[in-house]
Amino acid sequence: MIDVLVAGAGPTGVMLAAELRSRGVRVLVVDRDPAPTPVVRAMGLHARSLEVLDQRGLVDRFLALGTTHPLGGYFAGIVARQPEGLDTTYPYVLGLPQTVTERLLTEHALELGVEIRRATELVGLEQDAHGVTAGLADGSTLRARYLVGCDGGRSTVRKLLGIGFPGEPSRVDTLLGEMRVTASPDTVAAINSEVRTTQLRFGVARIGDGVYRVVVPADGVAEDRAAPTFDEVKRQLIATAGTDLGAHEPRWLSRFGDATRLAERYRSGRVLLAGDAAHIHPPLGGQGLNLGIQDAVNLGWKLAAEVNGWAPAGLLDTYDVERRPVAAEVLDNTRAQMELVSLEPGPRAVRGLLTELMAFDEVNRYLIEKIIAISVRYDLGDGHPLLGRRLRDRPVLGGRLYERMRAGRGLLLDRTGALSVDGWADRVDPVVDPAVDLDVPAALLRPDGHVAWVGADQADLRVHLLRWFGAAR
Ligand SMILES: Cc1cc2nc3c(=O)[nH]c(=O)nc-3n(C[C@H](O)[C@H](O)[C@H](O)COP(=O)(O)OP(=O)(O)OC[C@H]3O[C@@H](n4cnc5c(N)ncnc54)[C@H](O)[C@@H]3O)c2cc1C
C-alpha cells in the first residue's frame, strides 16, 4: 500500500513528497493536469525557503538559475533601503519564475524515487481507522495510509473534508500574462513609471527575448475565474495606461484575485492540507509559494515519523498548531499591504506615514523579516528566546551547520561535549563544537531546523528528545 498520497504536484506537493520519500516513505503524487502549467505566478524565493533548500543540499541548483534582488521596498512596494544586518546568509530575493522552481523541485523529488501521476484528478475520498481511499475522475480508487491535499486554493480535498475556508472573497481581479509588444523598451519603461505613480497594481516588465510580463487591473471580478481573453487584456491596458503598447503574441494569460482565506483546520483524521489548499491571499510580498514550501518542511518529517512508527503522541497535530498561526500572520500582512496600495486618500496617507517610518532601520527590518519568514517562532512554551525559532547557518567544526542537517534528522548542537543522544542516534545527529557561535551551551534542532530545546542538563534534554523524537531505541 502507498504510505502517503499527495494530491497536487505544485511546489507544495512535490516538496512534501521529497521530504517524505527522503525518509523512506512510499509516496505517490497525483495531479489533475496532464502537464505542468506554463503560467508563471511566483517570481521569487525568500530567505527561509533558500535556507531550507540549503538544509537539503539543493540551494545551489536554484542559485545557479536565479538572479538576486535587494529586499528594500519589498513591503507593499514602499521604496526603502535594504535593511541592515538581516539575520540570514540569504539577504535577498532570488528571482526565479515559479515554473523553474517547480521544475527543480520536481526533479529532486523524482531523483529520490517519488512517483508523479499526471492527468489523475482526485474527486472523492473516504477514510477509516487504517487509511484513506481516494476516488479518481476515471472511476478508479487509490488506497493510502494518509492523504495530503496540496491541490491549490480551490482544493477538492478541503471541500470533500467539509473544512471551512473563512475569510474575504475577491474584491478586485488582476490580469496577468506574457506577450510581445511593439512599443520600444524606453517607451514601455516610461509608461510603466508614470502609471505606477497612481496605480500600483499595474506593471510591465521585460523578461527577455522581447517578451514582457504584463500585470493590469481587470474590470470587475470574474465569478467563473476563467482566464481572460487577449482582447480583455488589451482593453484593460488601454483603460489603465492609455495604450495597449502594441501587445501581440500572448504566450499565456491568467487572472488572479485578492481573496484572503484560511482553512479552519489543517487536519481531519488521516487527511491533511498544505500550501494554497490551506491558505490563500493576494500575492503582495511574494509569499504564497514560500509559505507552501515551508508548510511542507514542517509537515514532512512529522508525517514520516508517523508512517515510520516513531512519532510521539501529538506530534502530527503540532503541524496545525504551528503552521496555521504563521499563515494567519501572512494573511494579515497581505491585507495590510492591499490597503497600502489603495488609491483612496486615507490609505495613501497611511502609506506616506509608513514610508517615513521605514527610514528607521528597525521598522524596515521588522517588516522585511516578516515577509522572508526568518522571524517565525513556533510557540513551544516559555523559555529562552531561541526556543521555537530557526537557527541561521553558521560554521561548525568541519563545515557549516546547514550542511550537517542534510540527512533530514534532528541535530544536537553541543558546545559542552558532555551531552548524549544515545537511544536516539538514528533520529538525532550530535555535533560537538566547543567553539561554535551559540549563546547557549547546547541546542536541539528538529529536522525542520527549529530549536526544540536549549540547555546543558542531560535529564532535561532527554525529556525533550522524548517529546519530539519518541521513545529511545
Ligand atoms: C500573480 C501571482 C503572483 C504570485 N507571486 C508569488 C511570489 O512572488 N512568491 C510566492 O511565494 N508566491 C507567489 N504567488 C503564490 C503562489 O503562486 C502560490 O502560493 C503557489 O503556487 C501555491 O503552491 P501549491 O503547490 O500550494 O498550489 P498550486 O501551485 O496551486 O498547485 C496545486 C496543484 O494541484 C493540482 N490539482 C488541483 N486540484 C486537483 C485534484 N482534484 N486532483 C489532483 N490534482 C489537483 C493542480 O493541477 C496544481 O498542479 C503568486 C500568485 C499569483 C497568482
Side-chain angles (χ1 to χ4, degrees):
M1 179 160 68
I2 306 160
D3 293 320
V4 180
L5 176 64
V6 175
T12 308
V14 286
M15 184 73 193
L16 176 66
E19 286 291 288
L20 292 165
R21 184 69 208 130
S22 66
R23 298 181 169 92
V25 174
R26 288 165 299 183
V27 54
L28 171 66
V29 183
V30 293
D31 198 288
R32 177 195 57 201
D33 292 350
T37 173
V39 173
V40 179
R41 289 181 285 166
M43 291 298 286
L45 292 173
H46 288 315
R48 185 58 191 149
S49 300
L50 296 170
E51 289 182 351
V52 298
L53 293 171
D54 190 356
Q55 288 164 9
R56 297 295 173 262
L58 291 177
V59 76
D60 289 343
R61 304 182 187 191
F62 291 80
L63 297 180
L65 297 181
T67 47
T68 58
H69 302 277
L71 276 158
Y74 233 74
F75 191 86
I78 292 175
V79 177
R81 284 174 294 111
Q82 164 91 3
E84 301 279 330
L86 284 171
D87 183 33
T88 176
T89 42
Y90 299 102
Y92 46 76
V93 178
L94 187 74
L96 199 62
Q98 179 161 342
T99 43
V100 178
T101 298
E102 287 188 28
R103 176 168 60 75
L104 294 175
L105 291 175
T106 302
E107 281 168 13
H108 169 60
L110 293 173
E111 282 161 18
L112 291 168
V114 169
E115 186 189 345
I116 301 177
R117 256 182 237 170
R118 288 202 160 269
T120 305
E121 182 179 3
L122 182 147
V123 295
L125 72 87
E126 275 176 24
Q127 54 175 322
D128 53 47
H130 307 288
V132 184
T133 304
L136 304 178
D138 67 1
S140 64
T141 57
L142 286 169
R143 178 92 177 145
R145 293 168 71 187
Y146 291 89
L147 166 69
V148 188
C150 301
D151 51 345
R154 275 165 255 163
S155 170
T156 302
V157 173
R158 188 190 64 234
K159 288 174 192 160
L160 289 168
L161 290 171
I163 292 182
F165 204 34
E168 302 90 61
S170 237
R171 293 172 303 171
V172 289
D173 267 8
T174 308
L175 310 182
L176 172 71
E178 284 180 6
M179 59 204 74
R180 292 182 184 278
V181 302
T182 52
S184 73
D186 286 350
T187 305
V188 174
I191 290 172
N192 188 49
S193 321
E194 155 126 34
V195 176
R196 282 184 59 81
T197 56
T198 53
Q199 177 50 277
L200 290 162
R201 288 172 43 230
F202 175 87
V204 183
R206 201 173 176 175
I207 55 172
D209 230 11
V211 177
Y212 286 77
R213 178 177 168 98
V214 171
V215 184
V216 63
D219 181 17
V221 172
E223 292 306 326
D224 63 2
R225 313 307 303 151
T229 62
F230 191 37
D231 275 349
E232 186 181 350
V233 173
K234 288 195 285 189
R235 222 171 34 239
Q236 289 313 111
L237 277 170
I238 292 169
T240 313
T243 166
D244 68 5
L245 304 164
H248 60 285
E249 285 183 52
R251 282 181 171 176
W252 53 259
L253 302 170
S254 180
R255 171 194 311 277
F256 63 94
D258 66 338
T260 306
R261 298 180 179 278
L262 179 63
E264 276 170 350
R265 283 173 290 142
Y266 280 14
R267 179 180 180 191
S268 172
R270 292 178 168 272
V271 188
L272 298 111
L273 300 174
D276 276 19
H279 40 69
I280 54 166
H281 55 82
L284 286 163
Q287 301 168 89
L289 176 153
N290 287 276
L291 196 56
I293 287 179
Q294 292 153 36
D295 284 349
V297 171
N298 184 288
L299 175 58
W301 71 277
K302 296 173 182 172
L303 188 51
E306 278 293 333
V307 169
N308 291 329
W310 59 258
L315 181 69
L316 195 51
D317 285 328
T318 65
Y319 166 62
D320 175 302
V321 171
E322 292 173 1
R323 291 306 294 173
R324 273 185 82 251
V326 173
E329 260 211 60
V330 171
L331 263 54
D332 271 349
N333 85 49
T334 56
R335 284 184 178 108
Q337 291 185 75
M338 278 305 280
E339 290 301 312
L340 289 164
V341 297
S342 155
L343 302 176
E344 296 297 318
R348 283 176 79 90
V350 177
R351 186 181 177 89
L353 203 57
L354 192 62
T355 307
E356 289 171 27
L357 287 174
M358 281 180 76
F360 295 94
D361 204 58
E362 220 166 306
V363 176
N364 190 8
R365 189 170 51 244
Y366 178 78
L367 293 174
I368 292 295
E369 283 188 350
K370 261 188 193 302
I371 302 272
I372 64 176
I374 60 172
S375 54
V376 166
R377 178 177 180 274
Y378 299 142
D379 184 3
L380 304 188
D382 294 337
H384 193 277
L386 278 180
L387 204 58
R389 292 188 186 277
R390 104 301 177 224
L391 277 193
R392 74 173 278 163
D393 195 21
R394 62 201 63 208
V396 294
L397 206 59
R400 294 191 290 120
L401 176 64
Y402 285 7
E403 283 169 355
R404 299 297 287 270
M405 295 170 69
R406 288 188 181 162
R409 290 192 283 266
L411 185 143
L412 178 70
L413 187 54
D414 180 10
R415 288 173 52 212
T416 70
L419 294 166
S420 158
V421 296
D422 281 358
W424 287 271
D426 57 332
R427 285 153 282 168
V428 181
D429 295 321
V431 173
V432 177
D433 182 354
V436 70
D437 175 20
L438 186 70
D439 50 13
V440 287
L444 177 65
L445 303 189
R446 309 188 317 191
D448 61 0
H450 283 257
V451 177
W453 170 84
V454 299
D457 179 63
Q458 180 67 41
D460 195 29
L461 169 61
R462 204 183 142 78
V463 169
H464 288 82
L465 286 165
L466 277 165
R467 173 176 173 195
W468 291 106
F469 296 97
R473 283 181 183 160

